[in-house]
């Protein structure tokens, strides 16, 4: 296991390095000059050149990249071109909204998807099993921003029971008020995410229901519930865990879109503003942190899979030998 952890950690570091290279190069290929965001309309060429020198974009690209990479090594994401504020603390402040939104959406989606997916598999030959499968297919095809706008129209504009957007200025000083502000965004993400999860849970459950070991357990006198608990649950959970890791990472990234729909002061609004201003440190910082989160979630999901499934542990031991 130690060798596996070291190998995965090395892979994580190399992936982050490659992501840093790609992010840096892609941003420099985007049209627009960051210096223009610091100047008013009609700035002279001399003023534009001075602004470039001020923010360092007049230096050679390799020098800019090495400088940024050196800062990353000390956990410094740099300063914003526009506000001159450190990017790291600003991202941390925005995570106060983005992280709870992601986690609450993920938990709600799992709570909905696991029982619904199990029922859809166990009752696959019934009419309501088919309905559940059909609804999940429909949910996958619906864009998340459309679901958000629909919920705002119904619960905010028509029924007026929930706020259409925004977040308390004092953040979580009043938890009830903060949770109320996140209710519609959380439900929006959870609905779309649960539709996808239902399919995976249904597929994993169908595989277990058709397995020989479950039929053998039932033939030896075990009830369906006991056979599923003792033999089916672990085998059904293993493939779902990897999907949960992917979905959690997708939820974190998808929160960017939902935050824009509901005007939440999270990473989404910060990223959109940074893109509009060509603020390279802000954009690089947000995308790098997002990449780090996705890689860490994938690492954790893979580790949990190996801890649960002895077959993967034995395979790991053979690979190490």
């Amino acid at each position: 296991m130690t060798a596996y952890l070291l190998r995965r950690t090395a892979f994580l570091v190399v992936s982050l390095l490659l992501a840093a290279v790609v992010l840096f190069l892609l941003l420099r290929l985007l049209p627009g000059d960051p210096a223009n965001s610091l100047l008013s309309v009609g700035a002279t060429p001399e003023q534009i050149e001075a602004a470039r020198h001020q923010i360092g974009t007049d230096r050679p690209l390799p020098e800019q990249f090495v400088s940024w990479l050196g800062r990353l090594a000390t956990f410094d994401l740099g300063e914003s071109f526009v506000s001159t504020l450190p990017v790291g603390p600003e991202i941390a402040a925005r995570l106060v909204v983005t992280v709870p939104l992601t986690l609450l959406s993920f938990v709600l989606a799992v709570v909905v998807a696991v029982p619904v997916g199990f029922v859809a598999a166990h009752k696959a030959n019934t009419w309501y099993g088919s309905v559940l499968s059909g609804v999940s297919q429909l949910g996958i095809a619906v864009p998340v921003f459309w679901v958000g706008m629909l919920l705002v129209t119904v619960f905010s504009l028509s029924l007026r029971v929930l706020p259409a957007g925004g977040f308390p200025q004092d953040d979580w000083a009043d938890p009830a008020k903060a949770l109320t502000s996140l209710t519609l965004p959380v439900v929006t993400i959870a609905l779309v995410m649960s539709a996808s999860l239902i399919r995976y849970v249904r597929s994993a459950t169908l595989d277990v229901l058709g397995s020989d070991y479950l039929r053998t357990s039932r033939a030896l006198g075990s009830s369906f519930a006991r056979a599923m608990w003792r033999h089916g649950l672990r085998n059904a959970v293993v493939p779902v865990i990897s999907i949960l890791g992917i979905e959690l990472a997708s939820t974190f990234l998808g929160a960017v879109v939902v935050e824009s729909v509901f005007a939440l002061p999270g990473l989404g609004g910060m990223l959109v503003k940074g893109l509009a201003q060509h603020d390279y440190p802000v954009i690089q910082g947000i995308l790098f942190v997002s990449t780090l989160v996705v890689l860490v979630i994938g690492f954790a999901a893979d580790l949990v899979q190996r801890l649960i499934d002895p077959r993967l542990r034995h395979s790991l031991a053979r690979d190490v030998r």
Side-chain angles (χ1 to χ4, degrees):
M1 183 61 72
T2 302
Y4 163 75
L5 291 175
L6 291 175
R7 189 165 63 247
R8 287 290 298 180
T9 302
F11 175 78
L12 180 66
V13 172
V14 172
S15 298
L16 284 174
L17 181 60
L18 292 176
V21 174
V22 172
L23 290 176
F24 182 86
L25 293 177
L26 287 181
L27 279 180
R28 271 62 185 179
L29 293 176
L30 292 177
D33 189 342
N36 293 330
S37 301
L38 306 178
L39 303 170
S40 58
V41 178
T44 64
E46 292 76 13
Q47 291 174 322
I48 295 176
E49 190 60 34
R52 289 173 181 162
H53 181 72
Q54 176 186 340
I55 59 180
T57 55
D58 61 337
R59 295 182 297 168
L61 288 181
E63 183 180 340
Q64 294 183 47
F65 178 72
V66 171
S67 174
W68 181 55
L69 202 61
R71 286 190 160 193
L72 283 180
T74 60
F75 305 100
D76 181 4
L77 297 176
E79 291 82 31
S80 167
F81 286 164
V82 179
S83 68
T84 69
L85 295 175
V87 174
E90 183 66 18
I91 289 178
R94 299 299 183 107
L95 287 175
V96 173
V97 176
T98 302
V99 170
L101 173 61
T102 301
L103 294 179
L104 290 172
S105 303
F106 177 74
V107 171
L108 180 59
V110 172
V111 169
V112 172
V114 170
V116 173
F118 177 80
V119 172
H122 185 44
K123 302 296 183 180
N125 296 326
T126 64
W127 65 269
Y128 54 89
S130 300
V131 169
L132 291 175
S133 298
V135 170
S136 67
Q137 293 280 1
L138 179 63
I140 295 172
V142 178
V144 65
F145 67 87
W146 187 88
V147 176
M149 292 187 292
L150 179 62
L151 292 178
V152 167
T153 302
V154 174
F155 292 100
S156 299
L157 302 181
S158 299
L159 300 180
R160 298 181 182 276
V161 294
L162 291 171
F167 196 75
Q169 292 185 351
D170 53 359
D171 293 330
W172 290 90
D174 185 350
K177 188 175 180 181
L179 286 173
T180 302
S181 300
L182 290 180
T183 299
L184 285 183
V186 165
V187 173
T188 298
I189 298 175
L191 284 176
V192 176
M193 181 181 174
S194 61
S196 176
L197 281 177
I198 287 171
R199 290 184 58 211
Y200 291 112
V201 173
R202 179 180 181 274
S203 176
T205 305
L206 285 174
D207 290 340
V208 170
L209 292 176
S211 63
D212 293 334
Y213 56 82
L214 192 68
R215 284 195 294 266
T216 302
S217 180
R218 293 296 308 278
L220 293 175
S222 297
S223 64
F224 174 76
R226 181 177 176 81
M228 280 296 297
W229 177 257
R230 294 193 61 183
H231 306 288
L233 182 61
R234 177 175 293 188
N235 289 280
V237 164
V238 170
V240 173
I241 287 177
S242 61
I243 301 301
L244 288 178
I246 295 172
E247 291 294 335
L248 179 56
S250 300
T251 302
F252 181 81
L253 299 177
V256 172
V257 177
V258 174
E259 286 172 352
S260 300
V261 173
F262 291 95
L264 294 174
L267 288 183
M270 185 178 177
L271 179 60
V272 171
K273 185 178 179 180
L275 288 169
Q277 297 175 336
H278 297 89
D279 198 340
Y280 290 165
V282 169
I283 302 170
Q284 289 172 168
I286 294 175
L287 295 181
F288 184 80
V289 169
S290 300
T291 302
L292 176 62
V293 170
V294 170
L295 291 174
V296 169
I297 290 174
F299 174 81
D302 189 47
L303 181 61
V304 171
Q305 271 190 306
R306 292 179 182 276
L307 292 175
I308 291 178
D309 192 344
R311 294 170 298 181
L312 294 177
R313 291 201 299 271
H314 296 156
S315 174
L316 175 62
R318 289 195 300 269
D319 291 343
V320 171
R321 289 196 296 266

